[in-house]
Amino acid sequence: MEWTVYNFECADEGARQSLLSWFEEENPVEIPEDEDSVHGALTDADGEEIRADVAWIAEYVYVLTNPRVAGLLAASADRWERAVVAEFDSTTETCTEATLYRSEDGEPVEEVRYEGVEELGGQGMVYRFAMDHQFRFRAFAHAPPTPMITKHFGAFDAVVGLAWGSDRMDFFERETGVAPTARGLEFLEDDPVLEAGEFYEAVESE
């Protein structure tokens, strides 16, 4: 099985709410007022309903689906600033590919495309997007798509649990070819999840 994750970065929390309102208006999903995630369905460009897991925090909205949702980026591009679409293979628990888009005049424009590192469970992408783009990538939304061995990051996992800034940076630099930067590390450690209350727990990983 494969799954697709959409990471939408909005200008601020107000813009994020506008994106959530668009989801509710254009798709058969109801966004609760006092929650931060929901299971529902999205309608693709062909009119097919696709089951989705949606979560939101700070200026980000995270969407997990099994197949891609045709037309989703183009239809919503006037509501977000940047977006990442990533494909995962559940057999190897690998992020096979991730593409960063920017919204330009209400149209999605591809910025950069990366191949994943086998069996890192998307952690390499978390690191790469933070260092190179200060983008808060997550591997899924609220709930993981399947039982998993490798630790993946959902919307409500604090990535500081990976001990950024330690000698593990040598590992990520070697695997991704991206050198750690002070700005990138500060970005990772300044995770909005840590301010969300006791409901969230930091990820622990070897």
Side-chain angles (χ1 to χ4, degrees):
M1 189 187 82
E2 297 179 349
W3 76 87
T4 301
V5 61
Y6 295 84
N7 290 202
F8 297 100
E9 181 191 63
C10 302
D12 50 37
E13 292 188 35
R16 180 208 69 195
Q17 185 57 48
S18 176
L19 177 59
L20 289 173
S21 296
W22 177 88
F23 274 113
E24 191 170 40
E25 292 165 3
E26 301 294 329
N27 301 274
V29 58
E30 295 183 9
I31 305 298
E33 292 184 3
D34 300 323
E35 301 292 337
D36 46 26
S37 65
V38 66
H39 295 283
L42 302 180
T43 303
D44 69 8
D46 299 321
E48 181 181 353
E49 291 188 7
I50 296 174
R51 299 296 300 173
D53 182 33
V54 184
W56 51 93
I57 184 171
E59 70 272 28
Y60 284 86
V61 175
Y62 299 96
V63 178
L64 171 73
T65 64
N66 195 337
R68 282 199 179 209
V69 183
L72 178 59
L73 283 184
S76 62
D78 60 341
R79 308 285 177 131
W80 46 264
E81 301 288 316
R82 297 187 296 174
V84 167
V85 182
E87 303 288 348
F88 283 80
D89 174 69
S90 65
T91 303
T92 61
E93 299 192 350
T94 297
C95 178
T96 55
E97 184 179 83
T99 305
L100 173 67
Y101 298 87
R102 71 180 186 278
S103 179
E104 188 172 292
D105 297 326
E107 297 290 337
V109 177
E110 183 175 324
E111 188 86 8
V112 66
R113 185 184 299 252
Y114 298 118
E115 291 185 4
V117 180
E118 188 172 355
E119 297 181 346
L120 275 190
Q123 294 177 19
M125 291 299 179
V126 173
Y127 170 83
R128 179 188 288 274
F129 279 118
M131 295 302 144
D132 282 351
H133 305 285
Q134 282 72 63
F135 187 99
R136 211 170 292 285
F137 177 76
R138 307 295 210 214
F140 59 88
H142 176 61
T146 60
M148 295 180 291
I149 298 173
T150 303
K151 183 65 71 176
H152 290 60
F153 293 109
F156 307 124
D157 295 322
V159 296
V160 291
L162 273 181
W164 309 110
S166 70
D167 56 4
R168 286 190 57 95
M169 293 304 97
D170 294 337
F171 169 78
F172 283 105
E173 181 177 4
R174 182 173 65 253
E175 293 295 326
T176 65
V178 177
T181 65
R183 184 182 181 190
L185 293 172
E186 181 180 2
F187 178 80
L188 284 174
E189 293 168 355
D190 184 27
D191 196 318
V193 170
L194 298 176
E195 301 177 1
E198 296 182 359
F199 175 80
Y200 307 121
E201 297 181 0
V203 169
E204 295 180 0
S205 173
E206 295 297 326

